[in-house]
Amino acid sequence: MPRTSFLPLLGGRLLMVLLAVLTAVIFVLDTITNFEIAVAVLYVAIVLIAVQHLGRRQVVMVAAGCMALTMLSFALTRTGSVASGLVNCAISLVAIAVTTTLALRAAAAEAAAREAQAQLAHITRVTMLGELTASIAHELNQPLAAIVLNGNAALRWLAGQPANLDEANKAAERIVRDAVRATDLIKRLRGLTKKAAGKAVRLDLNQTVTETLPLIQNEVSRHRAVLRTELADALPRVHADPVQVQQVILNLIVNALEAMKGEPQREVTVLTALGQPGEVLVSIHDSGRGLAAAQPDQIFDPFYTTKPDGMGMGLAISRSIVESHGGRIWAQAGVPRGSTFTFSLPAARERQ
Amino acid sequence: MTEQKPIVFVIDDDPAIREALDSLLRSVGHDVRCFASVAAFLDAAKPDIASCLVLDVRLPGKSGMDFQKELTHSETPLPVIMMTGHGDIAMSVQAMKAGAIDFLPKPFREQDLLDAITTALDKDRSRRIHVAELDALRARLATLSDGERDVVAQVVLGRLNKQIAGDLAISEITVKVRRARAMRKMQAGSLAELVKMIDRLATEPSAQGH
């Protein structure tokens, strides 16, 4: 049975019931005990739980409700000294108000920090990619330019009257030498990306998915989309670099969100499942426009993009990450609509 | 005047590019001199023959862009063709503003380079002819005596012999003699030609021959 959760509400209904029960308990205790016992201070706990899972306005409403109940309890309580009851009631009200204010402020700061961090990560990635591309382009351009020039020179030496075979020969030799140089460069580049492959560890993909989703939550809300997960139980672990797997998942979700721009129904589902024996699958399904391309493989090529401001690198990078881990990535048309991107990672051997 | 083979100077720090350019340019009949840096180029002899410079932007030591600017403002403004491994529009605009003949992003079409070289050599050739003519005029002017020079200075202002004679306190005959001698020394066929020559020397006071 797959676990299902609605991430924006995080089991919202269950939480609301829990909060209601807790509130009721506090209210009853506060009312039946005498004035000297300030059970109402416990409403602070309600506020603190609410702030973790609810929006700002909802938290304020919860706090107001708690304060109202505190005063109602005061009115209904029959035993004890009214004077100390009044003081206790006031203390409780102040405690609830102060806690609400501070907790909301802390939550806002935390959200801002998370957003800033996500932005920074994005900027760093884009800048690094730009610099890397520029430097690779320059390094590759040199031998390529030399090859082109030598080729032209050879043609001209051959076309001369009489043809200068010696010079043409030398130019051809230089073409071979420079082509080898370009190849070496590409080999070194491959080595570099392998080195940057990061540290592979034993990874629970369900956990990776769960940890990744909060990073993209802001983006999901901005697109007014719903993010769901369907995580299979008892998945074998995989051997992979968690940061890179996260990057693939993020890339695919961002793509899914952009594919749903302007669609009436915007829903992204992240699924984990068992694939073929020894293989774990992660799928990102969206309710977007679907794949326009006739060849779904082409979309993984570098610089292939359907977005006006796209670089066409997201899927290409995702593919190279997945393949460097010994997995595969593919796209399918969704049922009944949208599209599904799936990648597989080989399961780790069940041994320490 | 027999035309000597023009020289194409090349500065690029990449030996592969230097060899390739050397071969290509020799194959079309140019005299090529390649250098790995600006410093090496500056040390080399530069004969007084039409020449141009094919210059890479990214160089160790002084950059190609800086050197191009320097060269443009020097007394021997060699026409420059810039090439670059990864150029942007801003860079090419800067190079063209500083007077580059062309700005070629590598890898470029060889015909573009050869065309640019032809343009550059034509430009340098006509600049050298221009400088040589000015030098010759200046040399002729130097052979004039003080008296002749005084007369010429007045003549080109359009003054009459009689007025000049009065101003310089010499006879009209002397004015005529000196004027005729000056025309002969300057190799001016007519008064108009003489005026043009003096005008040309006056408008280019900074041009130093070599």
Side-chain angles (χ1 to χ4, degrees):
Chain A
M1 218 351 234
R3 279 176 271 151
T4 304
S5 69
F6 288 81
L7 209 100
L9 297 173
L10 199 91
R13 243 165 270 159
L14 187 75
L15 188 81
M16 294 309 274
V17 171
L18 192 80
L19 276 183
V21 170
L22 214 61
T23 310
V25 170
I26 294 172
F27 175 71
V28 171
L29 284 177
D30 193 24
T31 309
I32 60 174
T33 53
N34 56 22
F35 280 127
E36 280 79 8
I37 302 171
V39 181
V41 176
L42 293 179
Y43 282 127
V44 167
I46 306 284
V47 172
L48 287 177
I49 295 169
V51 101
Q52 295 293 318
H53 303 283
L54 299 178
R56 193 184 170 82
R57 190 179 296 170
Q58 289 160 300
V59 171
V60 172
M61 275 160 59
V62 167
C66 290
M67 290 167 88
L69 289 175
T70 306
M71 288 187 280
L72 187 62
S73 292
F74 174 69
L76 294 178
T77 302
R78 290 282 165 261
T79 52
S81 137
V82 177
S84 45
L86 202 63
V87 172
N88 277 339
C89 178
I91 289 174
S92 300
L93 290 178
V94 170
I96 295 168
V98 168
T99 307
T100 309
T101 317
L102 291 180
L104 280 177
R105 209 177 286 172
E110 203 180 320
R114 205 177 306 145
E115 187 160 349
Q117 201 177 9
Q119 259 171 16
L120 187 69
H122 177 73
I123 290 166
T124 314
R125 227 168 55 210
V126 168
T127 335
M128 254 184 57
L129 192 65
E131 277 169 15
L132 194 67
T133 318
S135 116
I136 293 167
H138 185 260
E139 284 305 308
L140 263 181
N141 255 337
Q142 293 293 114
L144 285 182
I147 288 169
V148 172
L149 290 170
N150 278 315
N152 287 320
L155 289 175
R156 285 180 188 267
W157 288 121
L158 288 174
Q161 293 296 337
N164 190 332
L165 292 182
D166 185 43
E167 287 283 3
N169 210 21
K170 281 183 191 157
E173 277 167 13
R174 285 194 300 267
I175 291 176
V176 174
R177 184 200 61 192
D178 294 338
V180 168
R181 179 177 155 200
T183 315
D184 284 347
L185 199 77
I186 290 169
K187 266 189 212 147
R188 260 191 293 145
L189 210 64
R190 285 237 178 88
L192 196 75
T193 47
K194 247 180 220 146
K195 238 178 258 168
K199 285 202 191 90
V201 295
R202 285 168 65 83
L203 211 61
D204 173 4
L205 275 180
N206 281 345
Q207 192 189 337
T208 310
V209 168
T210 315
E211 284 171 0
T212 306
L213 300 189
L215 299 176
I216 195 84
Q217 195 52 54
N218 277 323
E219 204 62 18
V220 174
S221 317
R222 209 165 59 76
H223 283 84
R224 299 179 180 283
V226 179
L227 188 57
R228 299 198 315 128
T229 55
E230 285 180 23
L231 306 177
D233 284 329
L235 279 182
R237 288 168 186 257
V238 297
H239 197 64
D241 175 23
V243 178
Q244 294 197 330
V245 174
Q246 270 192 349
Q247 199 184 343
V248 175
I249 297 172
L250 289 177
N251 276 343
L252 294 179
I253 296 178
V254 168
N255 277 355
L257 290 173
E258 304 211 330
M260 297 189 300
K261 243 180 215 166
E263 299 288 314
Q265 193 195 355
R266 291 178 298 277
E267 194 174 288
V268 184
T269 313
V270 182
L271 305 94
T272 56
L274 270 173
Q276 288 168 9
E279 206 183 49
V280 184
L281 304 180
V282 180
S283 293
I284 283 84
H285 173 77
D286 68 67
S287 59
R289 284 180 289 281
L291 299 167
Q295 306 103 318
D297 283 343
Q298 204 188 337
I299 56 179
F300 293 102
D301 290 344
F303 309 117
Y304 181 91
T305 183
T306 56
K307 298 173 225 162
D309 54 349
M311 273 204 296
M313 292 310 284
L315 286 177
I317 290 171
S318 299
R319 180 173 65 175
S320 70
I321 289 176
V322 170
E323 287 180 351
S324 77
H325 283 88
R328 296 172 299 128
I329 186 167
W330 66 92
Q332 290 163 302
V335 181
R337 55 196 313 278
S339 54
T340 305
F341 283 80
T342 307
F343 65 91
S344 69
L345 290 173
R349 295 226 177 91
E350 282 307 320
R351 208 158 33 88
Q352 198 53 45
Chain B
M1 189 171 102
T2 53
E3 163 85 324
Q4 279 166 290
K5 220 176 181 186
I7 304 175
V8 180
F9 294 101
V10 174
I11 310 181
D12 195 307
D13 61 327
D14 190 329
I17 299 280
R18 283 204 303 277
E19 285 171 357
L21 279 175
D22 178 68
S23 178
L24 175 72
L25 297 178
R26 276 189 300 108
S27 77
V28 294
H30 288 306
D31 183 354
V32 192
R33 318 268 167 95
C34 293
F35 304 93
S37 69
V38 170
F41 169 77
L42 289 174
D43 282 347
K46 284 159 220 70
D48 185 13
I49 303 168
S51 27
C52 69
L53 175 63
V54 179
L55 180 62
D56 189 40
V57 168
R58 193 195 273 192
L59 290 172
K62 184 168 286 173
S63 89
M65 292 298 265
D66 290 345
F67 184 56
Q68 184 216 357
K69 237 174 278 162
E70 253 171 53
L71 209 55
T72 315
H73 296 122
S74 75
E75 287 173 355
T76 52
L78 212 53
V80 176
I81 296 148
M82 303 291 294
M83 34 178 203
T84 175
H86 73 297
D88 48 28
I89 292 172
M91 207 186 254
S92 64
V93 168
Q94 197 188 336
M96 297 308 278
K97 267 189 181 164
I101 301 292
D102 208 343
F103 187 89
L104 303 170
K106 289 179 195 168
F108 42 79
R109 291 193 329 138
E110 120 261 35
Q111 198 55 51
D112 289 344
L113 175 68
L114 297 178
D115 289 349
I117 287 176
T118 307
T119 310
L121 290 177
D122 284 348
K123 191 180 170 192
D124 196 49
R125 204 171 285 126
S126 55
R127 183 188 65 83
R128 279 171 201 275
I129 291 170
H130 182 73
V131 168
E133 281 172 359
L134 275 181
D135 283 352
L137 279 182
R138 216 169 274 127
R140 283 181 224 157
L141 189 68
T143 63
L144 262 54
S145 71
D146 288 348
E148 287 159 2
R149 202 166 300 176
D150 290 342
V151 169
V152 168
Q154 301 272 342
V155 167
V156 296
L157 292 175
R159 307 196 66 198
L160 302 173
N161 288 347
K162 200 184 287 174
Q163 295 170 305
I164 300 170
D167 276 9
L168 297 179
I170 48 176
S171 74
E172 217 177 313
I173 299 288
T174 313
V175 173
K176 277 183 183 164
V177 169
R178 286 182 183 173
R179 177 174 156 174
R181 228 185 276 153
M183 296 263 290
R184 200 166 50 245
K185 283 182 179 173
M186 291 301 288
Q187 299 173 19
S190 64
L191 180 62
E193 210 177 316
L194 181 70
V195 172
K196 231 159 88 185
M197 285 175 180
I198 301 299
D199 199 39
R200 208 170 149 187
L201 283 169
T203 51
E204 296 212 29
S206 61
Q208 304 281 305
H210 59 169

